Structure formats: structure tokens, C-alpha cells
Amino acid sequence: SDEAKAAFVSEFSHLFVDEAHHVRATTWESIRNRFAGKLVLQFTATPYREDGRELGGRLVYVFPLRLAQLQNYFSRIKDVGVRSLADEDRQIARAAVGQLRSDLDAGLDHIVMARVRTRRRADEVAEIYREIASVFGPRALYSGMSAASAKRDALDALGDRSCRVVVCVDMLGEGFDLPSLKIAAIHDAHKSLGITLQFIGRFARVT
């Protein structure tokens, strides 16, 4: 209720907003607006929205990509294109699994994340990975899974490495930290280049 929100907000002198490029969303903005007259500090790696809406406030500190590269926060990206007129998903899966095998042979603790657009696609593509490489315990992972425990089980399997291939619908993104996610298999591209670059950037981080 508005009364509960007002009482809650009144207990705080400052608001710190992470992933602040979302702050123009209705639910986020409604909270920020309640801090009018108080200090609001926003953090984001993507301060410019594609819809042109500004995040408000003033820039206090900017860490340029150039410095991130000079300080080795990002590694080089190996881009592997897959062209197929038939069964493209299977060809992408084979390329991703091939890279995974190569990385593991080199002593690297890597995990494949396959990106798809819908839950139905996640289940379909996960089955392809199971056919190709069941030894890596491929799993689908998305919000609204029929069993609440299924999501937890999938995350636990990633943790103990009984799963090294996870098929997701816009999950394991912002706020999720798993440095071993190093191989991205894009079965369905994002709607914009900016989001795609942000997605790929997660896999290029050194730590």
C-alpha cells in the first residue's frame, strides 16, 4: 500500500540504485520519486537507454571502456559464425560443445550458456544439447518453470559442474555472477545490438 511504502521510505536517508538503467520503469521510478529531496546514487554500466529516456541526476564518475581494456578487465572474444540452411540449432550446439570440450581439455573451468527467446525454445534446444552431449548435463533454465525446485536444482548443478550447458531465456544476466560462463551460444539473437553487446560482454570479463 502507499501508506506502507511511505512508512518504509521514511526510515532511510539515502537511496542506492544498482542497474540504474531500469530506473525509468514504473515500479522503479515510483520508489525513486519517494526519495525527492534525499540523496539518490545510481550505478549502471549502460547509462544511455535506447528509448532515449534519461536516468536523471548528474554524472559523478565515469569509468571508460578504454580504461577497462587497459586494466585487463576484459579478455579477447573469439567469434565463431555458424551458417546452416537446415537445423541451425544443432549446428550451433555442436560448435558450442566442441569449444567446451577444447576448453576443458586445456584445463579451463568453462560453462556454455545457450540463449533462446522463449520457454518453448529453451526446452527444445536443451533437448538438442542432451542428444549431442548428455555427459555435460544440459539443462533449461527460465522464470516460471513448472516446479520451483527445478530452478534451484539447475543452479546447484551449475555450481557442482554436473551441468556445464545451460539453456536460458534472458536469465543469468544482470546481478548473476558466475565467472565460468565463458561460452555463449546465441540460438536466438536479442532485439537490439546494444543488448547483444551487453550480453556478450558478460562472457568477456576476466573475473
Side-chain angles (χ1 to χ4, degrees):
S1 67
D2 285 340
E3 292 78 10
K5 289 177 182 177
F8 182 75
V9 168
S10 69
E11 296 296 316
F12 299 92
S13 59
H14 299 65
L15 174 66
F16 295 85
V17 184
D18 195 16
E19 305 293 357
H21 45 280
H22 295 303
V23 80
R24 294 309 302 268
T26 302
T27 51
W28 291 56
E29 195 167 39
S30 67
I31 296 298
R32 188 184 65 175
N33 289 345
R34 291 177 181 272
F35 279 81
K38 297 182 179 182
L39 182 63
V40 177
L41 195 58
Q42 302 180 156
F43 301 87
T44 179
T46 51
Y48 305 105
R49 293 171 55 99
E50 291 193 350
D51 61 9
R53 302 179 72 188
E54 295 185 357
L55 305 184
R58 61 185 176 88
L59 291 176
V60 176
Y61 178 73
V62 176
F63 184 66
L65 180 59
R66 175 178 54 82
L67 284 182
Q69 292 170 326
L70 288 174
Q71 296 179 21
N72 297 318
Y73 280 101
F74 291 96
S75 60
R76 289 183 176 275
I77 296 172
K78 177 182 177 182
D79 178 35
V80 178
V82 175
R83 298 289 182 267
S84 176
L85 296 178
D87 211 354
E88 188 175 44
D89 285 325
R90 191 171 299 274
Q91 297 304 318
I92 293 172
R94 284 176 177 158
V97 169
Q99 186 65 56
L100 176 61
R101 293 185 190 278
S102 176
D103 290 0
L104 293 176
D105 288 343
L108 301 171
D109 178 30
H110 287 178
I111 294 172
V112 173
M113 185 174 114
R115 193 269 172 184
V116 295
R117 187 174 291 118
T118 66
R119 299 174 186 179
R120 179 184 61 80
R121 287 274 293 144
D123 291 329
E124 292 172 354
V125 171
E127 186 57 36
I128 291 173
Y129 278 94
R130 291 188 195 102
E131 294 171 8
I132 292 173
S134 60
V135 66
F136 295 128
R139 304 242 188 163
L141 181 59
Y142 47 80
S143 59
M145 296 182 77
S146 56
S149 61
K151 188 187 300 183
R152 182 72 261 165
D153 289 345
L155 292 173
D156 289 343
L158 286 170
D160 64 24
R161 299 302 189 265
S162 58
C163 169
R164 283 191 180 271
V165 176
V166 60
V167 184
C168 294
V169 182
D170 292 335
M171 288 190 69
L172 307 186
E174 293 174 346
F176 185 87
D177 187 30
L178 184 60
S180 292
L181 282 174
K182 283 290 182 277
I183 304 170
I186 302 178
H187 289 261
D188 297 326
H190 294 83
K191 292 182 178 179
S192 73
L193 177 61
I195 297 175
T196 299
L197 292 175
Q198 184 181 29
F199 171 79
I200 293 173
R202 293 187 54 81
F203 295 82
R205 294 184 305 181
V206 175
T207 57

